[in-house]
Amino acid sequence: MKIIGTSLLLPVPTGVLCIAAQPVASEDLQKPKGGLIRGAQKLKFSLIVPTYKEAANVEAIVQQLTRLLNPVLDNDYEIILVDDDSPDRTWEIAQSLMATYPMLQVMRRQQERGLSTAVIRGWQAARGEILGVIDGDLQHPPEVLYQLLKAIEEGADLAVASRHVDGGGVSDWSPTRRFLSRGAQVLGLLMLPNVVGRVSDPMSGYFLVRRSVIAERPMSPIGYKILLEVLGRGTIGEVAEVGYVFQERQEGESKVTWRQYLDYVGHLVRLQTSQGRIGRLRQRFPIERFVRFGLVGLSGVFVDMAMLYLLSDPTMLGWNLTRSKILAAEVAILNNFLWNDRWTFGDLSSYQHGWQKRLKRFLKFNVICLSGLVLNVLILNVLFNVFGINRYIANLMAIAAVTFWNFWLNLKLSWRVTDAK
Ligand code: GDD
Ligand code: MN
């Protein structure tokens, strides 16, 4: 075992990815034994910092975290940096910091790789009652930890730093990155509504979770999204969300490639097919809201028809059909938005007040309803041309399917109804 000063590395847990209900002494973590010998005394908080090629960031993140946590937690916390044998020897730099920052522990993984398994191995070695994760590249503002810790102290089982609630955002991501991140969220909302729909930012890699709600549950994540695994396998009661702005990276670069997006789809499928609780409808489906949404949609049909008559009928303005239909559809969408914002989701809109937020909701509502229109045309054509179903019955089936699409995505993305208090 390589020793630098008195700073031995933490043994790397092996075997099943499963967090114990109580902290484990270090010599019980690894076969054959080796590394730092330390007891299993409990701590309040363990924060995992997963790193890969973060040599330029490691000292800054450790310094900021200790400066922030010392005053509130005294010595009742630990920071565990889990490095996957970075070629820039991030683990070794972290090891040299241990003498200055006694709350820091370092784990160097050489047999396993991957962000989400790094976090779980860190949690397996952790001694905290509260377990957390933060990126090691300073893109997650450390000061948000105060509100996350407060939320857990006040009873939440899970406290997520979210880019999609008030106070949240991303520095200046490219439209492509924003589209891909949102697209991944939509896919998750459709494949695992009861898991992904519980929070507004299921892609977040910055959150705290109570050990007891994820202990003794074998985990098998794929890729980056550790929060997905926690939501899917944990027995999580109350969820809290704190808005944060995802910062611009100063040093190094993101390791996200297309591989992570494919891993994400694989992770969704794995969670969806896994046994146990995920299949059960955890959240009561908001029937009443859905009925209101359907009635508003019906009023939109009348508005659409009336506008189509006024604009395109030869006895009225006599405009061409396509232009009339597009305008009629947009007026109907505006009608539906105003009714939904006031009636269907009125209780929520009052929390998200201000004309900018209302405009943002309207734009999201538009994008979702227009994508629903495309879906409607697609389903209609498949049912009519491929399955030979009568066009009017096919259209009704398409409208029913798209009503669910519009309702569910607007509920989660436009009015952002999640489990979070
Ligand atoms: N141990 C380990 N192993 N750490 C890793 C690995 C790995 O294979 N890959 C990335 N990391 C570390 C990075 O060093 C960094 O500290 C953090 O994980 C995030 O990696 P980035 O490559 O910087 O990801 P990003 O900036 O695109 O962030 C996205 O993913 C993060 C993790 O889920 C965003 O979705 C963030 O919201 C999210 O926190
Ligand atoms: Mn990053």
Side-chain angles (χ1 to χ4, degrees), residues 183-266:
Q185 184 175 4
V186 167
L187 183 65
L189 283 170
L190 296 172
M191 284 181 69
L192 278 173
N194 306 316
V195 174
V196 174
R198 300 198 68 194
V199 293
S200 62
D201 187 358
M203 306 299 145
S204 176
Y206 187 11
F207 61 89
L208 310 187
V209 62
R210 203 177 293 283
R211 173 193 288 266
S212 57
V213 301
I214 52 172
E216 312 304 343
R217 283 164 185 75
M219 297 196 162
S220 59
I222 310 175
Y224 255 47
K225 300 307 166 192
I226 178 65
L227 179 56
L228 207 55
E229 191 69 5
V230 165
L231 283 166
R233 312 257 182 216
T235 317
I236 293 161
E238 187 178 325
V239 177
E241 293 189 312
V242 176
Y244 86 98
V245 179
F246 190 72
Q247 305 298 305
E248 226 359 67
R249 206 186 230 275
Q250 303 305 321
E251 304 282 351
E253 72 285 326
S254 167
K255 285 84 193 175
V256 168
T257 61
W258 277 102
R259 169 72 196 271
Q260 270 70 39
Y261 288 100
L262 294 177
D263 284 345
Y264 171 70
V265 178

Coordinates of all heavy atoms in Angstrom, one line a residue, residues 183-266:
G183 N -34.8 16.4 -23.3 CA -35.3 15.2 -24.1 C -35.1 13.9 -23.2 O -36.0 13.1 -23.1
A184 N -34.0 13.8 -22.5 CA -33.7 12.7 -21.6 C -34.8 12.7 -20.5 O -35.3 11.7 -20.1 CB -32.3 12.8 -21.0
Q185 N -35.1 13.9 -20.0 CA -36.1 14.0 -19.0 C -37.5 13.5 -19.5 O -38.2 12.8 -18.8 CB -36.2 15.4 -18.4 CG -37.1 15.5 -17.2 CD -37.1 16.9 -16.6 OE1 -36.4 17.8 -17.1 NE2 -37.8 17.1 -15.5
V186 N -37.8 14.0 -20.7 CA -39.2 13.6 -21.3 C -39.2 12.1 -21.4 O -40.2 11.4 -21.0 CB -39.4 14.3 -22.6 CG1 -40.6 13.6 -23.4 CG2 -39.6 15.8 -22.4
L187 N -38.1 11.5 -21.9 CA -38.1 10.0 -22.1 C -38.3 9.3 -20.7 O -39.1 8.4 -20.6 CB -36.8 9.6 -22.7 CG -36.6 8.1 -23.0 CD1 -37.6 7.7 -24.1 CD2 -35.1 7.8 -23.4
G188 N -37.6 9.9 -19.7 CA -37.8 9.3 -18.4 C -39.2 9.4 -17.8 O -39.7 8.5 -17.2
L189 N -39.8 10.6 -18.1 CA -41.2 10.8 -17.6 C -42.1 9.9 -18.3 O -43.1 9.5 -17.7 CB -41.6 12.3 -18.0 CG -41.0 13.3 -17.1 CD1 -41.3 14.7 -17.6 CD2 -41.6 13.2 -15.6
L190 N -41.8 9.5 -19.5 CA -42.8 8.5 -20.2 C -42.5 7.1 -19.9 O -43.4 6.3 -19.7 CB -42.6 8.7 -21.7 CG -43.0 10.1 -22.2 CD1 -42.7 10.3 -23.7 CD2 -44.5 10.4 -22.0
M191 N -41.2 6.8 -19.6 CA -40.8 5.4 -19.3 C -41.0 5.0 -17.8 O -41.4 3.9 -17.5 CB -39.4 5.1 -19.8 CG -39.2 4.9 -21.3 SD -37.5 4.5 -21.7 CE -37.3 2.9 -21.0
L192 N -40.7 6.0 -17.0 CA -40.7 5.7 -15.5 C -41.4 6.9 -14.8 O -40.8 7.6 -14.0 CB -39.3 5.6 -15.0 CG -38.6 4.2 -15.1 CD1 -37.2 4.3 -14.7 CD2 -39.3 3.1 -14.4
P193 N -42.7 7.1 -15.2 CA -43.4 8.3 -14.6 C -43.3 8.4 -13.1 O -43.2 9.4 -12.5 CB -44.8 8.1 -15.1 CG -45.0 6.7 -15.6 CD -43.6 6.2 -16.0
N194 N -43.4 7.2 -12.4 CA -43.5 7.2 -11.0 C -42.1 7.5 -10.3 O -42.0 7.6 -9.1 CB -44.0 5.9 -10.4 CG -45.3 5.6 -11.1 OD1 -46.2 6.5 -11.3 ND2 -45.5 4.4 -11.6
V195 N -41.1 7.4 -11.1 CA -39.7 7.6 -10.6 C -39.2 9.0 -11.0 O -39.0 9.9 -10.2 CB -38.8 6.5 -11.1 CG1 -37.3 6.8 -10.6 CG2 -39.2 5.1 -10.5
V196 N -39.1 9.1 -12.3 CA -38.6 10.4 -12.9 C -39.5 11.6 -12.5 O -39.1 12.7 -12.3 CB -38.4 10.2 -14.4 CG1 -37.9 11.5 -15.0 CG2 -37.3 9.1 -14.7
G197 N -40.8 11.3 -12.5 CA -41.8 12.4 -12.2 C -41.8 12.9 -10.8 O -42.4 13.9 -10.5
R198 N -41.0 12.3 -9.9 CA -41.0 12.7 -8.5 C -40.2 14.0 -8.3 O -40.4 14.6 -7.3 CB -40.5 11.6 -7.6 CG -41.2 10.3 -7.7 CD -41.0 9.4 -6.5 NE -41.5 10.0 -5.3 CZ -41.1 9.6 -4.0 NH1 -40.2 8.6 -3.9 NH2 -41.7 10.1 -3.0
V199 N -39.3 14.3 -9.2 CA -38.5 15.5 -9.0 C -38.4 16.3 -10.3 O -38.7 15.8 -11.4 CB -37.0 15.1 -8.6 CG1 -37.0 14.5 -7.2 CG2 -36.4 14.2 -9.6
S200 N -38.0 17.6 -10.2 CA -38.1 18.4 -11.4 C -36.7 18.3 -12.2 O -36.6 18.7 -13.3 CB -38.3 19.9 -11.0 OG -37.2 20.3 -10.2
D201 N -35.7 17.8 -11.5 CA -34.4 17.7 -12.2 C -33.8 16.3 -12.0 O -32.8 16.1 -11.2 CB -33.4 18.7 -11.7 CG -32.1 18.8 -12.5 OD1 -32.0 17.9 -13.4 OD2 -31.2 19.6 -12.2
P202 N -34.4 15.2 -12.6 CA -33.9 13.9 -12.3 C -32.5 13.6 -12.8 O -31.9 12.6 -12.5 CB -34.9 13.0 -13.1 CG -35.5 13.9 -14.1 CD -35.5 15.3 -13.5
M203 N -32.0 14.6 -13.6 CA -30.6 14.4 -14.1 C -29.6 15.0 -13.1 O -28.4 14.9 -13.4 CB -30.4 15.2 -15.5 CG -31.5 14.9 -16.5 SD -31.3 13.1 -16.9 CE -33.0 12.8 -17.2
S204 N -30.0 15.5 -12.1 CA -29.1 16.2 -11.1 C -28.1 15.2 -10.5 O -28.5 14.1 -10.2 CB -29.9 16.9 -10.0 OG -28.9 17.4 -9.1
G205 N -26.9 15.6 -10.4 CA -25.9 14.8 -9.8 C -25.5 15.4 -8.4 O -24.4 15.2 -7.9
Y206 N -26.4 16.3 -7.9 CA -26.1 17.0 -6.7 C -27.3 16.9 -5.7 O -28.3 17.5 -5.9 CB -25.9 18.5 -7.1 CG -25.3 19.4 -6.0 CD1 -24.8 19.0 -4.8 CD2 -25.3 20.8 -6.2 CE1 -24.4 19.9 -3.8 CE2 -24.9 21.7 -5.3 CZ -24.4 21.2 -4.1 OH -23.9 22.1 -3.1
F207 N -27.1 16.0 -4.7 CA -28.2 15.8 -3.8 C -27.8 15.1 -2.5 O -26.7 14.6 -2.5 CB -29.3 15.0 -4.5 CG -28.9 13.6 -4.9 CD1 -29.0 12.5 -4.0 CD2 -28.4 13.4 -6.2 CE1 -28.6 11.2 -4.4 CE2 -28.0 12.1 -6.6 CZ -28.1 11.0 -5.7
L208 N -28.6 15.2 -1.5 CA -28.4 14.5 -0.2 C -29.5 13.5 0.0 O -30.7 13.8 -0.4 CB -28.3 15.4 1.0 CG -27.5 16.7 0.9 CD1 -27.4 17.4 2.2 CD2 -26.1 16.4 0.4
V209 N -29.2 12.3 0.6 CA -30.2 11.3 0.8 C -30.0 10.7 2.2 O -28.8 10.5 2.6 CB -30.3 10.3 -0.3 CG1 -29.0 9.5 -0.4 CG2 -31.5 9.3 -0.1
R210 N -31.1 10.4 2.9 CA -31.0 9.8 4.2 C -30.5 8.3 4.0 O -31.1 7.6 3.2 CB -32.3 9.8 4.9 CG -32.3 9.7 6.4 CD -33.7 9.9 7.0 NE -34.3 11.2 6.8 CZ -33.9 12.3 7.5 NH1 -33.0 12.1 8.4 NH2 -34.4 13.5 7.3
R211 N -29.5 7.9 4.7 CA -29.0 6.5 4.6 C -30.1 5.5 4.7 O -30.2 4.6 3.9 CB -27.9 6.2 5.6 CG -27.4 4.8 5.6 CD -26.5 4.5 6.8 NE -25.2 5.1 6.8 CZ -24.1 4.5 6.3 NH1 -24.2 3.3 5.8 NH2 -23.0 5.1 6.3
S212 N -30.9 5.7 5.6 CA -31.9 4.6 5.9 C -32.9 4.3 4.7 O -33.4 3.2 4.6 CB -32.8 5.0 7.1 OG -33.4 6.3 6.8
V213 N -33.1 5.3 3.9 CA -34.0 5.1 2.8 C -33.4 4.4 1.6 O -34.1 4.0 0.6 CB -34.7 6.4 2.3 CG1 -35.5 7.0 3.5 CG2 -33.8 7.3 1.7
I214 N -32.1 4.2 1.6 CA -31.5 3.5 0.4 C -30.6 2.3 0.9 O -30.0 1.6 0.1 CB -30.6 4.4 -0.4 CG1 -29.5 5.2 0.4 CG2 -31.4 5.4 -1.3 CD1 -28.5 5.9 -0.5
A215 N -30.6 2.1 2.3 CA -29.8 1.0 2.8 C -30.3 -0.4 2.5 O -31.6 -0.5 2.3 CB -29.6 1.2 4.3
E216 N -29.4 -1.4 2.4 CA -29.8 -2.8 2.2 C -30.6 -3.0 0.9 O -31.4 -3.9 0.8 CB -30.7 -3.3 3.4 CG -30.1 -3.0 4.8 CD -28.7 -3.6 5.0 OE1 -28.3 -4.5 4.2 OE2 -28.0 -3.2 5.9
R217 N -30.4 -2.1 -0.1 CA -31.1 -2.3 -1.4 C -30.0 -2.5 -2.4 O -29.3 -1.5 -2.8 CB -32.0 -1.1 -1.7 CG -33.3 -1.1 -1.0 CD -33.9 0.3 -1.0 NE -35.1 0.3 -0.2 CZ -35.1 0.3 1.1 NH1 -34.0 0.3 1.7 NH2 -36.2 0.3 1.8
P218 N -29.8 -3.7 -3.0 CA -28.8 -3.8 -4.1 C -29.1 -2.9 -5.2 O -30.2 -2.7 -5.6 CB -28.9 -5.3 -4.5 CG -29.6 -6.0 -3.3 CD -30.5 -4.9 -2.7
M219 N -28.0 -2.2 -5.7 CA -28.2 -1.2 -6.7 C -27.4 -1.7 -8.0 O -26.4 -2.4 -7.9 CB -27.7 0.2 -6.3 CG -28.5 0.7 -5.1 SD -28.2 2.4 -4.8 CE -29.6 2.8 -3.8
S220 N -27.9 -1.3 -9.1 CA -27.2 -1.6 -10.4 C -27.4 -0.5 -11.4 O -28.0 -0.7 -12.4 CB -27.6 -2.9 -10.9 OG -29.0 -2.9 -11.2
P221 N -26.8 0.7 -11.1 CA -26.9 1.8 -12.0 C -26.1 1.6 -13.3 O -25.1 0.8 -13.3 CB -26.4 3.0 -11.2 CG -25.4 2.4 -10.3 CD -25.9 1.0 -10.0
I222 N -26.4 2.3 -14.3 CA -25.5 2.3 -15.5 C -25.2 3.8 -15.8 O -26.1 4.6 -15.9 CB -26.3 1.8 -16.8 CG1 -26.9 0.4 -16.5 CG2 -25.3 1.7 -18.0 CD1 -27.8 -0.1 -17.6
G223 N -24.0 4.2 -15.9 CA -23.6 5.5 -16.4 C -23.6 6.6 -15.3 O -23.2 6.4 -14.2
Y224 N -24.2 7.7 -15.7 CA -24.0 8.9 -14.9 C -25.1 9.2 -13.8 O -24.9 9.9 -12.9 CB -24.1 10.1 -15.9 CG -22.7 10.7 -16.1 CD1 -21.6 9.9 -16.4 CD2 -22.6 12.1 -16.1 CE1 -20.4 10.5 -16.7 CE2 -21.3 12.7 -16.4 CZ -20.2 11.9 -16.6 OH -19.0 12.5 -16.9
K225 N -26.3 8.7 -14.1 CA -27.5 9.3 -13.3 C -27.7 8.5 -12.0 O -28.7 7.7 -12.0 CB -28.7 9.4 -14.2 CG -28.5 10.2 -15.5 CD -27.9 11.6 -15.1 CE -27.4 12.4 -16.3 NZ -26.6 13.6 -15.8
I226 N -27.0 8.8 -11.0 CA -27.1 8.1 -9.7 C -28.4 8.5 -9.1 O -29.0 7.6 -8.4 CB -25.9 8.5 -8.8 CG1 -26.0 7.9 -7.4 CG2 -25.7 10.0 -8.7 CD1 -25.9 6.4 -7.4
L227 N -29.0 9.7 -9.3 CA -30.3 10.0 -8.7 C -31.4 9.1 -9.2 O -32.3 8.8 -8.4 CB -30.6 11.5 -9.0 CG -31.9 12.1 -8.4 CD1 -32.0 11.8 -6.9 CD2 -32.1 13.5 -8.8
L228 N -31.3 8.7 -10.4 CA -32.3 7.8 -11.0 C -32.3 6.5 -10.2 O -33.4 6.0 -9.8 CB -31.9 7.5 -12.4 CG -32.9 7.2 -13.5 CD1 -34.0 8.2 -13.6 CD2 -32.3 6.9 -14.8
E229 N -31.2 6.0 -9.9 CA -31.0 4.8 -9.1 C -31.6 4.9 -7.7 O -32.3 4.1 -7.2 CB -29.6 4.3 -9.1 CG -29.3 2.9 -8.6 CD -29.8 1.9 -9.6 OE1 -30.3 2.2 -10.7 OE2 -29.8 0.7 -9.2
V230 N -31.3 6.1 -7.1 CA -31.8 6.3 -5.7 C -33.3 6.4 -5.7 O -34.0 5.8 -4.9 CB -31.1 7.6 -5.2 CG1 -31.8 8.1 -4.0 CG2 -29.6 7.4 -4.9
L231 N -33.8 7.2 -6.7 CA -35.3 7.3 -6.8 C -36.0 6.0 -7.1 O -37.1 5.7 -6.6 CB -35.7 8.3 -7.9 CG -35.5 9.8 -7.6 CD1 -35.5 10.6 -8.8 CD2 -36.5 10.3 -6.6
G232 N -35.3 5.2 -7.9 CA -35.9 3.9 -8.4 C -35.8 2.8 -7.3 O -36.7 2.0 -7.3
R233 N -34.8 2.8 -6.5 CA -34.6 1.7 -5.6 C -34.9 2.1 -4.1 O -35.1 1.2 -3.3 CB -33.2 1.2 -5.7 CG -32.7 0.9 -7.1 CD -32.6 -0.5 -7.4 NE -32.1 -0.7 -8.8 CZ -32.5 -1.6 -9.7 NH1 -33.4 -2.4 -9.3 NH2 -32.0 -1.7 -10.9
G234 N -34.9 3.3 -3.9 CA -35.0 3.8 -2.5 C -36.5 3.8 -2.0 O -37.4 3.7 -2.8
T235 N -36.7 3.8 -0.7 CA -38.1 4.0 -0.1 C -38.1 5.4 0.3 O -38.0 5.7 1.5 CB -38.2 3.1 1.1 OG1 -37.7 1.8 0.8 CG2 -39.7 2.9 1.5
I236 N -38.4 6.3 -0.6 CA -38.2 7.7 -0.3 C -39.6 8.3 0.0 O -40.5 8.3 -0.8 CB -37.5 8.4 -1.5 CG1 -36.1 7.9 -1.5 CG2 -37.5 9.9 -1.3 CD1 -35.4 8.1 -2.8
G237 N -39.7 9.0 1.1 CA -40.9 9.7 1.5 C -40.9 11.1 1.0 O -40.9 11.4 -0.2
E238 N -40.6 12.0 1.9 CA -40.6 13.4 1.5 C -39.4 13.8 0.7 O -38.3 13.4 1.0 CB -40.7 14.3 2.7 CG -40.9 15.8 2.4 CD -41.1 16.7 3.6 OE1 -41.6 16.2 4.6 OE2 -40.5 17.8 3.5
V239 N -39.7 14.6 -0.4 CA -38.6 15.1 -1.3 C -38.5 16.6 -1.2 O -39.6 17.3 -1.2 CB -38.9 14.6 -2.7 CG1 -37.8 15.2 -3.7 CG2 -39.0 13.1 -2.8
A240 N -37.3 17.2 -1.1 CA -37.2 18.6 -1.1 C -36.3 19.0 -2.3 O -35.5 18.2 -2.8 CB -36.5 19.1 0.2
E241 N -36.5 20.2 -2.8 CA -35.7 20.7 -4.0 C -35.2 22.1 -3.7 O -36.0 22.9 -3.2 CB -36.5 20.6 -5.3 CG -36.9 19.2 -5.7 CD -37.5 19.2 -7.1 OE1 -38.4 19.9 -7.4 OE2 -37.1 18.3 -7.9
V242 N -34.0 22.3 -4.0 CA -33.4 23.6 -3.9 C -32.9 24.1 -5.2 O -32.1 23.3 -5.9 CB -32.2 23.6 -2.8 CG1 -31.6 24.9 -2.7 CG2 -32.7 23.1 -1.5
G243 N -33.2 25.3 -5.6 CA -32.8 25.8 -7.0 C -31.3 26.1 -6.9 O -30.8 26.7 -5.9
Y244 N -30.6 25.8 -8.0 CA -29.2 26.2 -8.1 C -28.9 26.4 -9.6 O -29.5 25.9 -10.5 CB -28.3 25.1 -7.5 CG -27.9 24.0 -8.5 CD1 -26.6 24.1 -9.1 CD2 -28.7 23.0 -8.7 CE1 -26.3 23.1 -10.0 CE2 -28.4 22.0 -9.6 CZ -27.1 22.0 -10.3 OH -26.8 21.0 -11.2
V245 N -27.9 27.2 -9.8 CA -27.4 27.5 -11.2 C -26.2 26.7 -11.5 O -25.2 26.8 -10.8 CB -27.1 29.0 -11.4 CG1 -26.7 29.2 -12.9 CG2 -28.4 29.8 -11.2
F246 N -26.3 25.8 -12.5 CA -25.2 24.9 -12.9 C -24.1 25.8 -13.5 O -24.3 26.5 -14.4 CB -25.7 23.9 -13.9 CG -24.7 22.8 -14.2 CD1 -24.5 21.8 -13.3 CD2 -24.1 22.8 -15.5 CE1 -23.6 20.8 -13.7 CE2 -23.2 21.8 -15.8 CZ -22.9 20.8 -14.9
Q247 N -22.9 25.8 -12.8 CA -21.9 26.8 -13.2 C -21.1 26.4 -14.5 O -21.1 25.2 -14.8 CB -20.9 26.9 -12.1 CG -21.5 27.3 -10.7 CD -22.2 28.7 -10.8 OE1 -21.6 29.7 -11.1 NE2 -23.5 28.7 -10.4
E248 N -20.4 27.3 -15.1 CA -19.5 27.0 -16.2 C -18.3 26.4 -15.6 O -17.8 26.7 -14.6 CB -19.1 28.4 -16.8 CG -19.2 28.5 -18.3 CD -19.6 27.2 -19.1 OE1 -20.7 26.8 -19.0 OE2 -18.7 26.6 -19.8
R249 N -17.8 25.4 -16.3 CA -16.6 24.7 -15.9 C -15.4 25.6 -16.1 O -15.2 26.2 -17.2 CB -16.4 23.4 -16.7 CG -15.6 22.3 -16.0 CD -15.4 21.1 -16.9 NE -15.8 19.8 -16.4 CZ -15.0 19.1 -15.6 NH1 -13.8 19.6 -15.3 NH2 -15.4 17.9 -15.2
Q250 N -14.5 25.7 -15.1 CA -13.3 26.6 -15.3 C -12.1 25.8 -15.8 O -11.3 26.2 -16.6 CB -12.9 27.3 -13.9 CG -14.0 28.1 -13.3 CD -14.6 29.2 -14.3 OE1 -13.8 29.8 -15.0 NE2 -15.9 29.4 -14.3
E251 N -11.9 24.6 -15.2 CA -10.8 23.7 -15.6 C -11.2 22.3 -16.0 O -12.2 21.8 -15.5 CB -9.9 23.5 -14.3 CG -9.4 24.8 -13.6 CD -8.3 25.5 -14.4 OE1 -7.7 24.8 -15.3 OE2 -7.9 26.6 -14.0
G252 N -10.5 21.7 -16.9 CA -10.8 20.4 -17.4 C -12.0 20.4 -18.2 O -12.5 21.5 -18.6
E253 N -12.5 19.2 -18.6 CA -13.7 19.2 -19.5 C -14.7 18.1 -19.0 O -14.3 17.2 -18.3 CB -13.3 19.1 -21.0 CG -12.9 17.7 -21.4 CD -11.4 17.4 -21.0 OE1 -10.6 18.4 -20.9 OE2 -11.2 16.2 -20.6
S254 N -15.9 18.3 -19.5 CA -17.0 17.3 -19.2 C -16.6 16.0 -19.8 O -16.1 15.9 -20.9 CB -18.3 17.8 -19.7 OG -19.3 16.7 -19.7
K255 N -17.0 14.9 -19.1 CA -16.7 13.6 -19.6 C -18.0 13.0 -20.3 O -18.0 11.8 -20.6 CB -16.2 12.6 -18.5 CG -14.8 12.8 -18.0 CD -14.8 13.9 -17.0 CE -13.4 14.5 -16.8 NZ -13.5 15.6 -15.8
V256 N -19.0 13.8 -20.4 CA -20.2 13.3 -21.0 C -20.1 13.1 -22.5 O -19.6 14.0 -23.2 CB -21.4 14.3 -20.7 CG1 -22.6 13.9 -21.5 CG2 -21.8 14.2 -19.2
T257 N -20.3 11.9 -22.9 CA -20.3 11.6 -24.4 C -21.6 11.0 -24.8 O -22.5 10.8 -23.9 CB -19.2 10.6 -24.7 OG1 -19.5 9.4 -23.9 CG2 -17.8 11.1 -24.2
W258 N -21.7 10.6 -26.0 CA -23.0 9.9 -26.4 C -23.2 8.7 -25.6 O -24.3 8.2 -25.4 CB -22.9 9.6 -27.9 CG -23.2 10.7 -28.7 CD1 -22.4 11.6 -29.4 CD2 -24.6 11.3 -28.9 NE1 -23.1 12.6 -30.0 CE2 -24.4 12.5 -29.7 CE3 -25.8 10.9 -28.5 CZ2 -25.5 13.2 -30.1 CZ3 -26.9 11.6 -28.8 CH2 -26.8 12.8 -29.6
R259 N -22.0 8.1 -25.2 CA -22.1 6.8 -24.4 C -23.0 7.0 -23.2 O -23.8 6.2 -22.8 CB -20.7 6.4 -24.0 CG -20.5 5.4 -23.0 CD -20.9 4.0 -23.5 NE -21.1 3.0 -22.5 CZ -20.2 2.3 -21.9 NH1 -18.9 2.4 -22.3 NH2 -20.5 1.4 -21.0
Q260 N -22.9 8.2 -22.5 CA -23.7 8.4 -21.3 C -25.2 8.5 -21.6 O -26.0 8.1 -20.9 CB -23.3 9.8 -20.6 CG -22.2 9.6 -19.6 CD -20.9 9.2 -20.2 OE1 -20.5 9.8 -21.2 NE2 -20.1 8.3 -19.6
Y261 N -25.5 9.0 -22.8 CA -26.9 9.1 -23.2 C -27.5 7.7 -23.4 O -28.6 7.3 -23.0 CB -27.1 10.0 -24.4 CG -26.9 11.5 -24.1 CD1 -25.7 12.1 -24.4 CD2 -27.9 12.2 -23.4 CE1 -25.5 13.4 -24.0 CE2 -27.7 13.5 -23.0 CZ -26.5 14.1 -23.3 OH -26.3 15.4 -22.9
L262 N -26.6 6.9 -24.1 CA -27.1 5.5 -24.3 C -27.2 4.7 -23.0 O -28.2 4.0 -22.7 CB -26.1 4.7 -25.2 CG -26.0 5.3 -26.7 CD1 -25.0 4.6 -27.5 CD2 -27.4 5.1 -27.4
D263 N -26.2 5.0 -22.1 CA -26.3 4.3 -20.8 C -27.5 4.7 -20.1 O -28.2 3.9 -19.4 CB -25.1 4.8 -19.9 CG -23.8 4.1 -20.3 OD1 -23.8 3.1 -21.0 OD2 -22.7 4.6 -19.9
Y264 N -27.9 6.0 -20.3 CA -29.1 6.5 -19.6 C -30.4 5.7 -20.0 O -31.2 5.3 -19.2 CB -29.3 8.0 -19.9 CG -30.6 8.6 -19.4 CD1 -30.9 8.8 -18.1 CD2 -31.6 8.9 -20.3 CE1 -32.1 9.3 -17.6 CE2 -32.8 9.5 -19.9 CZ -33.1 9.7 -18.6 OH -34.3 10.2 -18.2
V265 N -30.5 5.5 -21.3 CA -31.6 4.7 -21.8 C -31.6 3.3 -21.3 O -32.6 2.8 -20.7 CB -31.6 4.7 -23.4 CG1 -32.8 3.8 -23.9 CG2 -31.7 6.1 -23.9
G266 N -30.4 2.7 -21.2 CA -30.2 1.4 -20.7 C -30.6 1.3 -19.2 O -31.3 0.4 -18.7

